[in-house]
Amino acid sequence: MASNQEEVKLFGMRGSPFATRVHIALKLKGIEYEYVDEKWGNFSETLIKYNPVYKKVPVLVHNKKPILESILILEYIDEIWKQNPILPSDPYKRAQARFWSKFIDDKILSAVPKVTTCHDEKEREEIFKEVEVALQFLENELKDKFFGGEKIGIVDITASFVAFWLPVIQEAAGLKLFTSEKFPKLYKWSEDFNNHPIVKEQLPPREFILAFFKARFESLAASK
């Protein structure tokens, strides 16, 4: 638990997969923190002061010092609070965990949002093909119940977008990209991850996310 001398504050936004990562890590560690819910398109002056370069969430403020970028925040949390580690202690495994966390951001999280703004159907199909290749790499990498073994680790937390957001986005788009037939291990992992008591509490309402992306795709179709 954070001591009385420690001030921990998280600036996030409802529905943000990046902010959700930090919520999950803090809860797994049992850290008490204050949450500040920012509004899309109307970020507070405080947030912009803490993150003047990118002006986005999440921002973790620990004893008045801001830490930026979700994966870096996860690593920081693990270094400061040693209980319930989310990174392996072995240097090689630690490097691998960092690699796969970056892979998820580079190959999946950077690609999927393009689909919600892409007017060209062929281009959209190409994006989804790239995501399928990335998902196959994750399928092959998954050896245990979680990427962190029997317990949730940093790769699982980073991949929360795959477990929760991706199925919702594909439903909104009317696609079958991430299925139990194509990716049996990864699909089972996603169910176990989403149903983990701590994770389940931190995930946004599914209907809220589904309505958001349905509106995005309908708007995209109407603007053709």
Side-chain angles (χ1 to χ4, degrees):
M1 301 291 281
S3 70
N4 293 331
Q5 285 74 42
E6 287 186 306
E7 181 192 9
V8 183
K9 189 180 287 189
L10 171 62
F11 290 79
M13 191 172 64
R14 188 185 188 210
S16 164
F18 300 101
T20 300
R21 290 173 173 177
V22 185
H23 279 297
I24 291 170
L26 289 168
K27 292 290 183 181
L28 285 170
K29 293 274 188 181
I31 306 302
E32 291 177 8
Y33 63 100
E34 179 188 344
Y35 174 59
V36 180
D37 191 39
E38 294 283 340
K39 299 289 180 276
W40 176 253
N42 189 27
F43 288 150
S44 68
E45 288 181 13
T46 308
L47 173 79
I48 293 167
K49 180 188 79 174
Y50 282 133
N51 192 358
V53 177
Y54 294 114
K55 301 181 176 66
K56 64 179 184 179
V57 298
V59 174
L60 183 76
V61 181
H62 181 215
N63 294 336
K64 297 185 170 54
K65 294 175 183 175
I67 301 94
L68 315 175
E69 299 297 305
S70 61
I71 293 178
L72 297 180
I73 293 171
L74 297 183
E75 292 194 23
Y76 179 85
I77 288 169
D78 206 48
E79 286 178 22
I80 297 295
W81 295 284
K82 302 298 184 186
Q83 69 273 24
N84 304 325
I86 57 173
L87 272 157
S89 55
D90 176 77
Y92 176 74
K93 289 180 180 177
R94 205 173 172 89
Q96 288 296 100
R98 287 184 170 126
F99 170 85
W100 287 109
S101 294
K102 189 173 187 303
F103 172 86
I104 290 160
D105 271 4
D106 290 349
K107 298 296 183 182
I108 299 175
L109 264 93
S110 65
V112 172
K114 293 176 189 172
V115 175
T116 64
T117 55
C118 178
H119 288 83
D120 187 271
E121 285 188 23
K122 282 187 178 179
E123 191 179 334
R124 200 183 299 173
E125 283 176 16
E126 286 301 314
I127 294 168
F128 275 118
K129 280 179 187 174
E130 288 173 22
V131 173
E132 273 196 304
V133 171
L135 291 174
Q136 190 59 58
F137 276 114
L138 289 179
E139 173 82 5
N140 297 342
E141 178 61 21
L142 186 59
K143 306 293 192 296
D144 299 298
K145 182 178 181 179
F146 297 112
F147 287 97
E150 286 303 303
K151 291 184 177 180
I152 287 174
I154 193 169
V155 180
D156 302 283
I157 298 170
T158 307
S160 55
F161 180 85
V162 175
F164 181 77
W165 276 265
L166 188 57
V168 177
I169 293 169
Q170 72 177 9
E171 183 181 332
L175 295 165
K176 288 189 176 179
L177 170 69
F178 179 38
T179 65
S180 57
E181 290 76 27
K182 287 181 183 176
F183 306 103
K185 288 195 296 180
L186 201 58
Y187 195 86
K188 176 67 169 65
W189 161 84
S190 73
E191 292 181 325
D192 289 337
F193 181 80
N194 288 341
N195 288 319
H196 186 284
I198 288 175
V199 172
K200 201 171 184 177
E201 279 184 15
Q202 307 314 314
L203 293 173
R206 193 178 191 278
E207 289 307 311
F208 168 76
I209 302 298
L210 182 60
F212 173 82
F213 282 106
K214 273 187 174 177
R216 289 289 291 269
F217 287 118
E218 284 168 9
S219 172
L220 202 60
S223 65
K224 281 185 178 179

